[in-house]
Amino acid sequence: MPTIEFENVSKIYDEDTVALDDVSFTIDEGEFVILLGPSGAGKSTMLRVLNGLTQPTEGSVRIGGKELQGNRSEVGMVFQEHYLIESKTAFGNALSGALSRNGLVRSALGLHADADKMTALEALQTVGLLDEAGQRAESMSGGQKQRVGIARALVQNPEIVLADEPVASLDPKAARDVMRYLKKAATEQDLTTITSLHQVNIAREFGDRFLGIRDGEVIFDGDADDLTMDEMDRIYYGETKSGETIPTGAASGEVGETDAEADAATDGGGRA
Ligand SMILES: Nc1ncnc2c1ncn2[C@@H]1O[C@H](COP(=O)(O)OP(=O)(O)OP(=O)(O)O)[C@@H](O)[C@H]1O
Ligand SMILES: [Mg+2]
């Protein structure tokens, strides 16, 4: 059974900005999906709709067969900015992921069940930070903070993890580390994961499936072999360099760095 279903979903902001334009797709349980596309394509909007942060203007979004209504606790979110509490330890930050399950009052009073504390430690272990559990966020590197952000999402005990450019502000090595831990968590806990990324090289290493978004439409849906240089140019520039029309299911093969890939990698690296 598909765990995520988008059916003819459109999102129109301010009457004339069409952020999503009649988008339909399904994602099966356990898939690790990466959203690619130029700035303004609609990637964040898609993730926000899934997380219940934004209402679609038209269409239907279902998770586990149920119509999406409001914020769902089974959906964990990792952001570009980590939003950790700097003065809290890695453990304290991870534990705050239990908030959506326990309610604000109990969490504010620090009334965390031992089970939650165990879950927080396990989540830190999953992201390779068990030894740093007692370290304050303020003294951690950007990559470590993002990994704590992943741990916090895992403590929520989600079925789905959404990540909006989780590695945009990191150097390539730290970015790979974060993606490796995200993938490990997804595999170990059988999570369905959707991540938007601007670093196409890194995306190719980790994604099982790629959705290419352009002008609010899904114009590519395939695996790493399908994601040829021409497809990448079509996603990022709207056409191939030679202006050719691209047949679907293009032949797989050795893929070098396209203009799109080089640009995207530079863009991504420059974001703070
Ligand atoms: N809250 C909003 N109000 C009005 N327009 C918005 C809002 N959020 C996004 N948009 C517009 O919707 C379109 C899609 O934006 P979105 O943020 O989803 O793109 P994106 O693919 O995430 O881009 P980026 O790669 O820069 O993060 C853009 O034209 C954007 O300006
Ligand atoms: Mg975005």
Side-chain angles (χ1 to χ4, degrees):
M1 186 178 82
T3 190
I4 295 172
E5 296 169 89
F6 266 59
E7 196 179 308
N8 304 113
V9 174
S10 292
K11 174 68 190 181
I12 301 162
Y13 292 110
D14 305 335
E15 289 169 22
D16 50 358
T17 308
V18 182
L20 294 178
D21 188 2
D22 196 17
V23 170
S24 299
F25 61 85
T26 63
I27 292 177
D28 286 331
E29 211 172 301
E31 279 194 285
F32 197 95
V33 178
I34 293 184
L35 305 181
L36 299 172
S39 190
K43 305 178 296 297
S44 294
T45 301
M46 196 176 274
L47 292 170
R48 289 172 60 81
V49 163
L50 259 176
N51 198 29
L53 293 168
T54 296
Q55 293 296 314
T57 313
E58 277 176 53
S60 154
V61 179
R62 291 185 293 277
I63 294 182
K66 279 183 285 179
E67 198 72 27
L68 190 62
Q69 279 177 335
N71 204 333
R72 298 272 294 260
S73 70
E74 66 263 46
V75 181
M77 189 91 188
V78 179
F79 298 93
Q80 180 177 345
E81 302 297 327
H82 51 77
Y83 298 120
L84 299 184
I85 299 172
E86 296 279 352
S87 61
K88 274 197 179 183
T89 60
F91 175 72
N93 274 291
L95 191 58
S96 69
L99 191 138
S100 63
R101 279 190 291 136
N102 291 346
L104 208 53
V105 174
R106 276 188 52 150
S107 294
L109 294 172
L111 297 176
H112 287 287
D114 287 348
D116 288 340
K117 293 178 186 170
M118 275 306 296
T119 307
L121 290 174
E122 280 164 13
L124 287 172
Q125 185 170 35
T126 300
V127 298
L129 288 175
L130 192 55
D131 289 346
E132 285 78 13
Q135 197 175 323
R136 284 176 197 252
E138 62 200 2
S139 67
M140 300 188 116
S141 71
Q144 286 176 320
K145 285 180 182 176
Q146 281 304 62
R147 282 152 60 192
V148 175
I150 294 170
R152 180 183 51 195
L154 295 178
V155 170
Q156 221 179 299
N157 195 21
E159 289 163 23
I160 296 168
V161 169
L162 308 175
D164 197 0
E165 295 188 41
V167 300
S169 59
L170 304 177
D171 69 63
K173 177 172 182 310
R176 279 200 170 77
D177 278 349
V178 169
M179 286 305 293
R180 198 174 301 123
Y181 282 112
L182 183 61
K183 182 96 188 222
K184 175 172 171 260
T187 307
E188 283 178 5
Q189 302 187 23
D190 208 15
L191 302 170
T192 307
T193 312
I194 310 181
T195 306
S196 69
L197 279 187
H198 275 291
Q199 298 90 328
V200 181
N201 287 327
I202 295 176
R204 296 186 71 93
E205 275 179 50
F206 296 98
D208 299 329
R209 176 180 170 191
F210 302 86
L211 295 181
I213 323 286
R214 182 172 183 84
D215 294 336
E217 294 181 60
V218 176
I219 63 161
F220 174 87
D221 184 352
D223 64 17
D225 284 342
D226 300 324
L227 193 60
T228 59
M229 285 185 273
D230 279 350
E231 287 292 353
M232 223 102 79
D233 283 336
R234 200 168 65 89
I235 295 166
Y236 283 94
Y237 297 103
E239 57 182 23
T240 64
K241 269 176 282 182
S242 54
E244 287 167 8
T245 327
I246 302 153
T248 49
S252 61
E254 192 61 29
V255 178
E257 191 172 79
T258 63
D259 286 358
E261 198 162 0
D263 286 359
T266 315
D267 278 2
R271 282 156 175 263

